[in-house]
Every structure is written in C-alpha cells, then in structure tokens.
Amino acid sequence: LILAYIIRGIGDVGNEALSLISPLGLILRTEVYVNNYWWPVLLTLGISIIIFSVSLYLNSIRDMGAGFITTKPGRREASLFLTSPIGLALRIQRTTIIAWIIGMFILGISYGSILGDLEGFLASNEILMQMLPFAEGMSLTEQFVSMLITIISILGTIPTLIFVLKLNGEEKRNRTEDILANAVSRNKIIGSYTFIGIIAALLIQIVSMLGLWFASEFVMDEVILFSSFLKAGLVHIPAIWIMIGVAVLLIGYLPRHTGLAWTYLGYSFFVGYLGDILKLPDWMRALSPFGHIPQIPMEDINMVKLSVLTLIALSLVMVGFIGYNKRDIQG
C-alpha cells in the first residue's frame, strides 16, 4: 500500500504513465464529477478478479501450514549476539526495523519531490493555505516545509511505537516467561525494547530528512541546506520520546490497553494536521507533545521547552519501568 502511494505520488509529479502502475493512481483516472470514465473501474476490477482467482487456486494446492517457497533451515546454535535481551529484541525486529528505515527514506523522497513548483500550487489552493502556519516574512515554501516536517515526524513515530510495543506482543504470546525463567532482569527486557525505540527515533528522523533534502536538490531552484532539514527534524525527537514514554507507561501499568498510545498519536496527528484549518483552541494543541515543538525555520529553538519535554519522557519511562517490575506477567 505504501509503495503504491509513493509510485502514484512520484508519477503525478513526474511521469504520468508511472501513476498508472499504481492502483491508487489508476483509479483517479475516472475523473469523478468531471468526465466519469468507467474504464479505470473496470480495469482495476478485472485485475483484482484475476489476483483473487490465482490466490484461491494457489491456496487450494499448497500444503497446509507451508508455502511454495521453502523455508531455509535456521542455524544449529544461536550466535553470541542472541545471548542478551537487546540482541534478541533486535533479531526479532530486524526485518521490520530495516523496512521502516528504508520506507521513511522513500517517504522523504516522495514529499521532497513536490517542493519544486510549490509556490504556484499553494497559491491556488485555499484549503492548503489555511492549513499552513502563518509567519511574517517567510515564504510559502518555508511555511509548507515546516508543516511537512511535523507530519513526517508524527508518521515516523509509528515505527518507534511498533518497536517498543513489540514487547507487549511477545508477552501476550507467552514468550516473555521463557526469558524471565533465566537470570535476566525485567529492567533489561523492557530496557532493550525502549532503547531500540529511542535510537530508532533518531535514525528514522535522519533518513527521512535525508530523503526530503535529496529529492529537493533536484526540483528546487533555491536549494535548502541539509543542515536546515536536519535541525527541523531533530527538534521533534523529544516529542517522539514522550510517545515512547507513554507506550512504556502503558506496558508497565495497563498492558491490555496499550492501544491508547495509538489513540494519543492519532490525536496528535489530528491537531497537528487540521488544527489551523479547524481553528482548534490552543489548549487542544498543547495536549500533544508535538504542539510544543518549535516550527523551524519560522521559530527559534527553545532549549528550555525541549529540555522539559525530554525530562517528561524520561519520567514516563522510569515510572513505566517501576510498574513493569511490580506487575504480574500476562499469561
């Protein structure tokens, strides 16, 4: 789905034929309320019927519990890396971590590719103009980039929460008990997943900004320095860490309600993305950690605010550790 979205986005900006490869781009050729073409609907319907038919046939002839691609046998003995909780946590999530890092880099490229003719596009779109944070003396591109980086940062919080909440998933599958049966402390287990989330937040922000800058180099006349993108991205790190702290707190005290972390992230996205157009009150934005992040380059970095956010994140993590040590492991 993400790949289809990216291909459609790149195709719409560059080569229109590329958009037709993506079902998300193909279906837009219906031109609803304008020309109402039916051929994209019939074509996508026909392709989906073919895919369903092939899938059902393959499912009917394969062995139960097996696939057509043979699974490679694992190693006879575990590596030294797997003897530590953090090594095991990294091994379990290795593919997911790599996929998300690559995905966020591509997402940065897809957004960066639209920065070339942005001034004219924004000037003719009243809805987007209302969504942009206003700043005296700043160009439309600078205002848009500020909002864009906030959205990318919130999206980049998704994988960090996945990495941390993986611990709760392992516990629900009764795998955590096997580890705790050995001489392993609970702090090391929850600390491993928390550490992965904290470091992943940094890596994801860096690669996202790298992709954003890389694409903008090719489409913008007045190039924005990578250092400017990086600074605007890294100031969001304390807010992402607070989201990690919320996840750890829920793991420690309300492991059956860790979905609240996703609700809070969804709320942050809502007020950050639609706050200006819906004229939401300031207190609603203040409830989100992203509402306290300076919007670079329109605002100066406030180290006091960022330090307070970091301390809040640290406090949430510490309290979560205490709760995780005291509660029973889910059976």
Side-chain angles (χ1 to χ4, degrees), residues 184-205:
V184 178
S185 69
R186 294 195 182 192
N187 282 334
K188 284 187 177 180
I189 293 178
I190 192 172
S192 299
Y193 287 87
T194 305
F195 179 76
I196 290 173
I198 290 172
I199 299 302
L202 285 168
L203 289 175
I204 287 171
Q205 285 297 93

Side-chain angles (χ1 to χ4, degrees), residues 23-44:
L24 301 180
L26 179 62
I27 202 65
L28 288 179
R29 271 56 189 177
T30 53
E31 299 182 14
V32 180
Y33 304 122
V34 181
N35 293 314
N36 294 319
Y37 293 130
W38 278 95
W39 67 265
V41 177
L42 298 175
L43 182 58
T44 51

Side-chain angles (χ1 to χ4, degrees), residues 39-106:
W39 67 265
V41 177
L42 298 175
L43 182 58
T44 51
L45 180 61
I47 294 173
S48 65
I49 290 174
I50 293 173
I51 293 174
F52 274 121
S53 300
V54 173
S55 301
L56 291 173
Y57 171 72
L58 294 177
N59 183 64
S60 66
I61 64 174
R62 71 174 176 86
D63 293 335
M64 294 302 296
F68 290 98
I69 301 175
T70 305
T71 303
K72 294 181 179 180
R75 294 178 52 163
R76 187 178 296 275
E77 296 180 0
S79 65
L80 186 63
F81 187 67
L82 289 177
T83 58
S84 65
I86 190 170
L88 178 60
L90 283 170
R91 178 61 184 85
I92 292 173
Q93 304 188 84
R94 180 180 61 184
T95 304
T96 306
I97 293 172
I98 295 173
W100 270 104
I101 289 176
I102 295 174
M104 292 304 298
F105 176 72
I106 296 175

Side-chain angles (χ1 to χ4, degrees), residues 252-272:
Y253 290 93
L254 298 170
R256 300 185 186 277
H257 301 284
T258 52
L260 292 173
W262 296 112
T263 303
Y264 189 36
L265 181 62
Y267 173 83
S268 298
F269 180 83
F270 173 75
V271 297

Side-chain angles (χ1 to χ4, degrees), residues 28-239:
L28 288 179
R29 271 56 189 177
T30 53
E31 299 182 14
V32 180
Y33 304 122
V34 181
N35 293 314
N36 294 319
Y37 293 130
W38 278 95
W39 67 265
V41 177
L42 298 175
L43 182 58
T44 51
L45 180 61
I47 294 173
S48 65
I49 290 174
I50 293 173
I51 293 174
F52 274 121
S53 300
V54 173
S55 301
L56 291 173
Y57 171 72
L58 294 177
N59 183 64
S60 66
I61 64 174
R62 71 174 176 86
D63 293 335
M64 294 302 296
F68 290 98
I69 301 175
T70 305
T71 303
K72 294 181 179 180
R75 294 178 52 163
R76 187 178 296 275
E77 296 180 0
S79 65
L80 186 63
F81 187 67
L82 289 177
T83 58
S84 65
I86 190 170
L88 178 60
L90 283 170
R91 178 61 184 85
I92 292 173
Q93 304 188 84
R94 180 180 61 184
T95 304
T96 306
I97 293 172
I98 295 173
W100 270 104
I101 289 176
I102 295 174
M104 292 304 298
F105 176 72
I106 296 175
L107 182 66
I109 290 178
S110 67
Y111 279 127
S113 64
I114 68 174
L115 297 179
D117 191 27
L118 199 58
E119 296 277 348
F121 175 71
L122 291 175
S124 61
N125 194 315
E126 294 184 6
I127 295 179
L128 276 178
M129 288 294 294
Q130 295 178 39
M131 295 171 65
L132 294 181
F134 176 75
E136 190 71 34
M138 291 290 174
S139 66
L140 290 177
T141 299
E142 289 174 318
Q143 296 175 51
F144 182 80
V145 167
S146 174
M147 182 192 74
L148 184 62
I149 292 177
T150 298
I151 299 305
I152 292 177
S153 300
I154 294 176
L155 293 177
T157 308
I158 294 174
T160 61
L161 288 182
I162 290 175
F163 303 153
V164 175
L165 292 175
K166 180 67 174 178
L167 172 60
N168 197 54
E170 292 292 295
E171 183 178 342
K172 287 181 178 179
R173 294 176 176 85
N174 298 320
R175 295 170 182 166
T176 308
E177 292 180 350
D178 295 333
I179 302 175
L180 290 173
N182 299 282
V184 178
S185 69
R186 294 195 182 192
N187 282 334
K188 284 187 177 180
I189 293 178
I190 192 172
S192 299
Y193 287 87
T194 305
F195 179 76
I196 290 173
I198 290 172
I199 299 302
L202 285 168
L203 289 175
I204 287 171
Q205 285 297 93
I206 292 172
V207 298
S208 300
M209 295 304 105
L210 183 61
L212 191 63
W213 167 80
F214 181 75
S216 68
E217 283 279 306
F218 291 93
V219 299
M220 297 185 69
D221 295 328
E222 297 182 9
V223 179
I224 301 177
L225 297 175
F226 173 65
S227 59
S228 299
F229 281 120
L230 187 62
K231 180 169 67 174
L234 291 182
V235 293
H236 289 82
I237 290 295

